Amino acid sequence: MEKPNVCINCYNMLDKIAGRLSLSKSEIDILTIPKRSFTFSFPVIMDDGSTRIFTGYRIQFNDARGPTKGGIRFHPEVDLEEIKTLAFLMTLKCAVSGLPFGGAKGGIVVDPKKISKGELERVSREYIRELYRFIGPNADIPAPDVNTNPQIMAWMLDEYEKIMGMHAPGVITGKPLELGGSFVRDISTSLGGFFVLKEATRDSKVKPSNTKIAVQGFGNAGMNIAKILHGKGYKIIAVSDSKSGIHHENGLDVKKVIEHKEKNSSLSGFKGAKEISNEDLLELECNVLIPAALENQITKNNANKIKAEIILEVANAPITPEADLILEKKKIRVIPDILANAGGVVVSYFEWVQNSMNYYWTTKEVTKKLEDYIVDSTREVQKTCKEFKCTMRDAAYILAVNKVLSAERLRGVLK
Ligand code: GLU
């Protein structure tokens, strides 16, 4: 194969606007072939004394606009193609929000729920030992993603600082506050999602209390967006996690749902609600559907059954390109991931800025700055929608691609 590293998914995702922008072959290559790609294996001694070999990935997709940026996910089904796709999306996401970053993503093939805390710490530290030469505050800056959290970021930071023999909090974001984290980062993906939804529905006459919302996924992003929207008076009619879901037409008391989940490690058995499956949740009659779990949830097989008016993509790539075309025909408005979930990386950027100046902002300051960034990028996307008479996803891609290609051109990589 001539280009073994090309990202097929990225190519498919770009296809729709490539024609519209008359992108040349070189431009498409630059946008779909990751710059650096790492696959590595490392041994970890498990609690029972056995040695297990883990596989890790890191893709530094494009760094034309700045150091590469993106999370690390721990999941048993992580693979290289998935990480490439997610790193490509990070490149576009940082560009849409106007952050001085390129895009990256990493992952480890592991189910963190099936190993002990000590094993999890050793796996996290080993990942950094494999990568420390290639990351850094001005090179590549990891962060949390699916199944990773501030404690894991703290272990990774500590490992990096021990190896380098100096403090370097800006090497990783999503850290605990005590180690240079930022206020609001823990809920920033969800809070950003709320600001996008508010701005994108500004002209609608429908009140929050009459807006029915279904949320798929009850991890950091899904749980917090349900909590925030419930707090703002929206009606959360259904939520689900990887095992089960619950539904109540008149709305769920999200605080009680969270208490129930914390107590029972499951949504199942929540009093007064009907149990539903993840698939049922996606097909519910509602105003806003929020996929906040994994990729490829809405495909050509179920896109026709979706009844929501708006889909807010809090997860990365929950809709396949084929499903996207079906939803467009059905006139369902999709607020794309690279805009809808950018709140996470926007506050990561603020965290990195605070680390580099060693001066820290209050919750109020970070919240205000986040809202300003999100409102600006949402308006820019909406303006581009009108200009090109296209969907919000196409508009966000057009904006992002133009920004990345313009940086490449200024660097002399493209004529
Ligand atoms: N993992 C998050 C995302 O997919 C955040 C990345 C970051 O903060 O660097 O956007």
Side-chain angles (χ1 to χ4, degrees):
M1 201 176 169
E2 191 197 346
K3 289 172 193 136
N5 209 14
V6 75
C7 171
I8 309 291
N9 281 335
C10 312
Y11 192 85
N12 292 338
M13 288 162 122
L14 200 65
D15 197 41
K16 193 153 166 245
I17 62 128
R20 255 194 128 124
L21 292 180
S22 311
L23 297 182
S24 69
K25 192 173 167 309
S26 331
E27 287 170 332
I28 293 176
D29 279 354
I30 282 204
L31 292 166
T32 56
I33 302 176
K35 186 173 176 66
R36 260 178 239 109
S37 168
F38 303 93
T39 301
F40 42 91
S41 308
F42 52 91
V44 171
I45 306 271
M46 306 305 278
D47 291 348
D48 65 3
S50 66
T51 299
R52 194 168 138 193
I53 310 289
F54 288 86
T55 302
Y57 304 107
R58 183 78 181 163
I59 298 281
Q60 297 168 346
F61 206 100
N62 184 293
D63 65 354
R65 293 174 41 83
T68 51
K69 183 85 195 81
I72 301 170
R73 67 171 54 183
F74 287 5
H75 197 275
E77 269 130 49
V78 158
D79 66 38
L80 190 63
E81 187 64 17
E82 177 192 24
I83 299 295
K84 275 186 202 169
T85 310
L86 295 167
F88 161 82
L89 287 174
M90 283 307 304
T91 307
L92 302 186
K93 196 186 298 184
C94 291
V96 170
S97 293
L99 308 179
F101 288 140
K105 200 73 157 202
I108 302 182
V109 186
V110 61
D111 184 346
K113 289 171 199 127
K114 292 203 175 131
I115 61 176
S116 72
K117 192 170 176 202
E119 289 166 342
L120 189 62
E121 175 173 353
R122 295 197 288 283
V123 167
S124 306
R125 288 183 182 276
E126 279 308 319
Y127 182 84
I128 293 302
R129 295 193 80 80
E130 291 299 323
L131 267 183
Y132 75 91
R133 291 178 191 83
F134 311 105
I135 61 174
N138 292 311
D140 179 24
I141 308 138
D145 196 78
V146 173
N147 289 334
T148 49
N149 56 33
Q151 174 62 78
I152 294 175
M153 299 304 111
W155 290 326
M156 290 183 165
L157 171 74
D158 183 66
E159 195 61 33
Y160 182 81
E161 292 185 337
K162 277 201 179 111
I163 297 169
M164 304 308 278
M166 63 174 96
H167 282 281
V171 69
I172 201 157
T173 59
K175 301 178 292 291
L177 290 174
E178 297 86 333
L179 296 182
S182 174
F183 283 117
V184 187
R185 180 63 186 85
D186 51 347
I187 59 159
S188 59
T189 307
S190 311
L191 190 58
F194 161 64
F195 288 143
V196 176
L197 182 67
K198 195 169 82 170
E199 186 57 33
T201 54
R202 186 169 285 286
D203 299 333
S204 150
K205 304 254 167 345
V206 187
K207 281 198 256 153
S209 57
N210 291 330
T211 308
K212 290 185 191 170
I213 300 190
V215 183
Q216 186 207 33
F218 217 59
N220 178 287
M223 185 184 79
N224 281 311
I225 196 148
K227 195 169 153 186
I228 291 168
L229 291 171
H230 178 70
K232 299 282 176 193
Y234 290 83
K235 204 185 271 181
I236 310 297
I237 61 158
V239 296
S240 68
D241 63 15
S242 55
K243 286 168 261 151
S244 55
I246 50 175
H247 173 215
H248 196 299
E249 217 19 58
N250 297 334
L252 298 161
D253 182 335
V254 176
K255 266 198 191 140
K256 289 208 175 119
V257 175
I258 295 172
E259 275 167 25
H260 177 87
K261 164 109 192 192
E262 271 162 10
K263 217 162 116 203
N264 305 289
S265 312
S266 166
L267 291 169
S268 182
F270 183 76
K271 275 206 188 75
K274 202 173 92 189
E275 295 220 5
I276 53 167
S277 68
N278 250 306
E279 294 77 49
D280 297 337
L281 181 136
L282 295 174
E283 295 165 19
L284 281 177
E285 195 107 29
C286 61
N287 304 95
V288 186
L289 172 63
I290 306 186
L294 292 170
E295 308 86 89
N296 304 331
Q297 301 298 303
I298 303 175
T299 65
K300 64 175 186 323
N301 301 326
N302 61 355
N304 258 318
K305 298 185 200 141
I306 307 290
K307 297 175 200 79
E309 291 157 24
I310 296 176
I311 303 180
L312 181 73
E313 287 189 317
V314 167
N316 287 311
I319 302 176
T320 64
E322 289 159 317
D324 216 26
L325 292 175
I326 300 174
L327 298 172
E328 191 180 340
K329 278 203 195 100
K330 279 168 68 88
K331 301 219 163 19
I332 295 177
R333 220 169 133 202
V334 176
I335 309 182
D337 47 8
I338 59 171
L339 174 69
N341 71 30
V345 74
V346 169
V347 178
S348 272
Y349 165 59
F350 298 157
E351 181 174 333
W352 178 78
V353 168
Q354 292 169 84
N355 293 151
S356 68
M357 64 181 176
N358 261 303
Y359 178 73
Y360 289 81
W361 296 323
T362 60
T363 298
K364 207 171 146 196
E365 284 170 303
V366 177
T367 306
K368 169 84 177 69
K369 286 180 206 296
L370 171 64
E371 183 163 17
D372 288 350
Y373 262 76
I374 296 289
V375 168
D376 279 359
S377 46
T378 308
R379 287 191 183 156
E380 220 183 328
V381 168
Q382 285 176 318
K383 208 174 115 207
T384 311
C385 276
K386 287 203 183 108
E387 201 180 311
F388 284 80
K389 295 195 175 48
C390 66
T391 63
M392 284 183 91
R393 189 185 317 278
D394 292 347
Y397 269 57
I398 289 170
L399 277 170
V401 160
N402 279 337
K403 287 187 194 182
V404 173
L405 291 179
S406 155
E408 296 283 13
R409 219 163 275 125
L410 288 164
R411 286 177 185 279
V413 173
L414 284 167
K415 282 277 169 283

